[in-house]
Amino acid sequence: MATKYIFITGGVTSSLGKGIICASLGRLLVARGLRVTVQKLDPYINVDPGTMNPYEHGEVYVTDDGAETDLDLGHYERFLDIRTTQQNNVTTGRVYFDVITKERQGTYLGKTVQVIPHITDEIKSHVTGLGESENFDIVIVEIGGTVGDIESLPYIEAMRQLRYDVGRKNTLSIHLTLVPYLAAAGELKTKPTQHSVKTLSESGLSPDILVCRSEYPLDETIRRKIAQFCNVEIEDVIASLDAESIYEVPLLMQDEGLDSRVIDKLNLPAKNADLVLWKQFVDKIKNPKTETTIALVGKYVEHHDAYKSIVEALIHGGAVNDSRVSIKWIQSDYVNDENVEALLDGVSGILVAPGFGDRGIDGKLSAVKHARENGIPFFGICLGMQCAVIEFARNCANMKGANSTEFNESTPYPVIDFMPDQREITEKGGTMRLGQYECKLAKGTNARKAYGEELINERHRHRFELNNELRETLKQNGLIVSGVNPERDLVEIIEIENHPWFVGVQFHPELKSTVNEPHPLFVSFVKASLLYKKDYSKIESKQKQTV
Ligand code: GLN
């Protein structure tokens, strides 16, 4: 079967949740036995989001092959249970970079290099290249930005051309719009959708299906009106109402018939959707038997998107434990040894987040110390693990002034240091230790128990490492090295003695947690926090009885 391409554009406003709609449609099509992948086309000039601040862009999602990509790829992996690669994320920067490189190499010799056809050809080759790479049945192409933006135009033009290149019957155009409710008029309004469809159609890519975000249900009259003005059949007006959880969206889209319409229009050989496991998962997160509160200590906490995959992995880990995980967001800038107890009061687990630069480090160190001294389950991720090592060195291994050379180059104890091969690098883009590496787990550790196997693979994104020259001294003082990369002998996981659950990981486990395969460390961390909560409430009630 020839690969079919579904283009998804967004109109009226940004933040309508295009990524979730793409991921949900992907899940529904996978559930019908089709081989699906999703690709994000981003209209910015950065070659990848790796150099962007989390305030600008949210989390940078890293794939197995070490690509630094848009966080929507995280949704695709979590919803579809697939692995994405560099090919799943294309930016305008990358497209121009490649075209200009080819021009310098003389590839277009004699020609004037232009947006049409050279840039559009390059975009199309990325799209069809992904489709052909594994002979997918379907590639869902999410076009970033909002219709009407200048910067999205080459993508829309490329998709318009692609409709003819691969045959119209092999493509579908879905437009996500907003149907706002005007309180003063007491009505849902269709005009923004009409205008958005008009703008898209002017670029030659008229939609076959409209997905309409709305706070209220769309009645027959509204649907008819949208269909009539926007040149689609009434069955192709799909309502997308606000959902309690993003994981409900596939089920809501199925109720609205989105996947059936896609199947019909693309003439796909599809079986009935098997969503049994998905429904069980949604049921678990909507009706948890218990609850636990985890503190997430980080410096970007005002911007939850910066920790997207961690939040989702906690939800997955919670579901396995029949528990809701509430996150207490703690701005690390404000934490110190004096206020840490009050700030972290009532939490049953402490997660210290990844990050770069020295802002908020002292607060993170206070949080680590509080977790270590009070036996509160602790999970340190990347920078969070590095903070755990620094805190341990200073307070348990007699290394006064221990630090990472990221924060103090002249520290007497550089327990976290540049990897030798990072020293000479001056360019910032794509130069970290990126992507998947193997890790061997030590017997009897919490990490080994959680994974239940000896060899694992996890994704990395960092420049600094635990310094092997100080490793022995740290170990002699009780630091447990529970995971090591066998190839380069790098410490990947640390734990400590006499603590129920204290795990620091140099990698990013959150990136591999999916609905069908929740990450073992998150499952184990949530479990430890529930045990802590149970023990703690026992102690509290005993104390009350004695008073
Ligand atoms: N800043 C640290 C490093 O580069 C940690 C990075 C991270 O947390 N992703 O090693």
Side-chain angles (χ1 to χ4, degrees):
M1 183 175 92
T3 305
K4 317 260 181 186
Y5 296 89
I6 302 175
F7 315 127
I8 305 203
T9 50
V12 184
T13 164
S14 58
S15 305
L16 287 182
K18 222 186 311 150
I20 299 295
I21 292 294
C22 291
S24 300
L25 175 59
R27 166 41 54 194
L28 292 175
L29 297 173
V30 166
R32 284 171 171 268
L34 295 161
R35 297 184 60 252
V36 187
T37 191
V38 193
Q39 184 176 47
K40 175 87 189 272
L41 305 181
D42 272 313
Y44 50 74
I45 317 259
N46 303 61
V47 171
D48 62 41
T51 54
M52 280 190 239
N53 186 310
Y55 289 121
E56 287 279 313
H57 184 269
E59 166 186 275
V60 173
Y61 189 79
V62 181
T63 54
D64 281 348
D65 63 342
E68 296 178 279
T69 71
D70 189 75
L71 57 74
D72 277 329
L73 271 75
H75 293 310
Y76 309 157
E77 291 206 2
R78 287 187 283 270
F79 276 57
L80 279 74
D81 247 308
I82 52 167
R83 292 292 178 232
T84 56
T85 68
Q86 177 68 75
Q87 278 184 291
N88 292 74
N89 194 192
V90 179
T91 70
T92 296
R94 180 168 302 279
V95 169
Y96 273 78
F97 188 85
D98 292 346
V99 168
I100 292 169
T101 306
K102 282 190 204 160
E103 187 275 335
R104 292 289 83 185
Q105 289 165 346
T107 310
Y108 311 112
L109 217 52
K111 290 279 178 220
T112 309
V113 181
Q114 295 179 298
V115 173
I116 304 172
H118 301 98
I119 295 296
T120 46
D121 279 354
E122 189 70 26
I123 295 171
K124 289 190 289 180
S125 77
H126 277 289
V127 175
T128 52
L130 176 61
E132 287 154 14
S133 67
E134 288 186 40
N135 213 359
F136 287 107
D137 296 328
I138 296 165
V139 181
I140 297 173
V141 185
E142 175 182 354
I143 297 166
T146 307
V147 163
D149 295 349
I150 292 174
E151 47 187 26
S152 314
L153 280 175
Y155 289 117
I156 293 173
E157 167 61 15
M159 297 310 110
R160 182 194 72 75
Q161 293 175 18
L162 199 63
R163 298 204 90 169
Y164 293 93
D165 295 355
V166 299
R168 273 190 78 96
K169 66 179 191 319
N170 291 327
T171 66
L172 198 68
S173 162
I174 299 181
H175 189 53
L176 175 63
T177 86
L178 178 71
V179 180
Y181 177 77
L182 272 199
E187 273 180 2
L188 288 166
K189 290 293 180 191
T190 64
K191 200 69 85 186
T193 296
Q194 295 178 36
H195 281 294
S196 181
V197 169
K198 190 172 161 217
T199 309
L200 183 61
S201 303
E202 276 168 6
S203 310
L205 191 69
S206 29
D208 302 306
I209 295 177
L210 291 172
V211 177
C212 305
R213 280 298 303 271
S214 173
E215 286 175 53
Y216 297 95
L218 306 184
D219 64 20
E220 167 89 19
T221 323
I222 289 274
R223 286 180 197 250
R224 201 164 288 289
K225 193 169 171 188
I226 294 173
Q228 197 169 37
F229 278 103
C230 299
N231 232 0
V232 296
E233 288 171 55
I234 189 162
E235 293 80 8
D236 295 325
V237 178
I238 306 286
S240 168
L241 303 189
D242 295 349
E244 219 177 283
S245 153
I246 54 169
Y247 297 104
E248 273 182 273
V249 178
L251 305 176
L252 296 173
M253 288 299 95
Q254 188 190 37
D255 288 347
E256 277 285 311
L258 177 61
D259 55 330
S260 323
R261 294 305 287 169
V262 169
I263 301 278
D264 280 357
K265 284 177 183 292
L266 287 175
N267 204 7
L268 288 161
K271 59 182 180 83
N272 285 339
D274 175 2
L275 287 163
V276 177
L277 290 176
W278 194 273
K279 283 182 182 152
Q280 277 171 9
F281 169 77
V282 171
D283 189 48
K284 277 187 178 229
I285 54 175
K286 287 186 79 174
N287 308 298
K289 293 201 177 93
T290 175
E291 182 164 4
T292 183
T293 304
I294 305 272
L296 197 157
V297 186
K299 65 172 173 173
Y300 305 113
V301 289
E302 308 82 7
H303 193 55
H304 296 185
D305 269 3
Y307 305 110
K308 192 87 209 158
S309 294
I310 294 180
V311 174
E312 301 308 322
L314 285 170
I315 294 174
H316 306 158
V320 177
N321 287 290
D322 287 313
S323 173
R324 170 173 295 134
V325 178
S326 306
I327 297 177
K328 186 169 185 182
W329 298 91
I330 306 283
Q331 170 54 262
S332 50
D333 291 18
Y334 306 138
V335 186
N336 54 47
D337 283 350
E338 280 67 54
N339 65 16
V340 66
E341 192 170 348
L343 283 174
L344 297 182
D345 185 39
V347 307
S348 305
I350 297 173
L351 190 153
V352 175
F356 295 84
D358 62 2
R359 178 165 73 83
I361 291 298
D362 289 340
K364 287 184 173 173
L365 294 175
S366 298
V368 174
K369 185 163 179 259
H370 181 71
R372 180 178 57 75
E373 290 180 342
N374 295 288
I376 305 168
F378 167 84
F379 198 6
I381 300 184
C382 207
L383 181 64
M385 173 267 201
Q386 298 175 353
C387 286
V389 174
I390 297 168
E391 196 278 329
F392 183 87
R394 288 185 190 173
N395 299 322
C396 305
N398 213 12
M399 296 186 189
K400 200 164 177 271
N403 215 333
S404 162
T405 49
E406 182 178 5
F407 317 128
N408 177 7
E409 282 184 25
S410 50
T411 165
Y413 299 104
V415 281
I416 305 293
D417 197 11
F418 253 144
M419 285 180 286
D421 52 358
Q422 283 282 341
R423 268 181 220 290
E424 312 305 322
I425 296 172
T426 50
E427 280 198 12
K428 291 272 183 268
T431 55
M432 287 187 244
R433 183 181 173 207
L434 288 167
Q436 181 143 288
Y437 286 87
E438 196 167 69
C439 172
K440 192 171 170 190
L441 304 175
K443 278 201 190 103
T445 56
N446 271 328
R448 177 70 181 265
K449 273 181 230 156
Y451 282 97
E453 51 192 339
E454 191 182 16
L455 276 183
I456 54 148
N457 276 287
E458 293 286 0
R459 300 181 193 166
H460 292 248
R461 181 173 188 255
H462 55 100
R463 293 199 165 82
F464 295 82
E465 303 278 348
L466 192 145
N467 185 348
N468 273 341
E469 287 178 19
L470 295 168
R471 176 161 150 191
E472 269 319 302
T473 324
L474 291 165
K475 276 171 78 176
Q476 277 157 17
N477 286 282
L479 191 81
I480 301 166
V481 172
S482 51
V484 172
N485 168 251
E487 204 188 340
R488 298 173 64 183
D489 192 31
L490 295 169
V491 174
E492 308 284 44
I493 314 180
I494 57 104
E495 299 184 22
I496 58 170
E497 289 164 351
N498 304 321
H499 189 291
W501 210 94
F502 188 102
V503 177
V505 292
Q506 185 58 83
F507 47 79
H508 289 270
E510 71 276 17
L511 302 175
K512 281 178 76 171
S513 189
T514 73
V515 168
N516 286 346
E517 279 190 52
H519 195 285
L521 285 178
F522 280 87
V523 174
S524 174
F525 176 51
V526 174
K527 191 171 169 197
S529 90
L530 289 167
L531 285 173
Y532 172 86
K533 191 180 158 196
K534 214 162 119 199
D535 290 349
Y536 190 76
S537 43
K538 262 190 228 153
I539 297 169
E540 259 199 335
S541 66
K542 255 194 200 154
Q543 275 169 349
K544 273 190 199 137
Q545 278 165 21
T546 38
V547 173

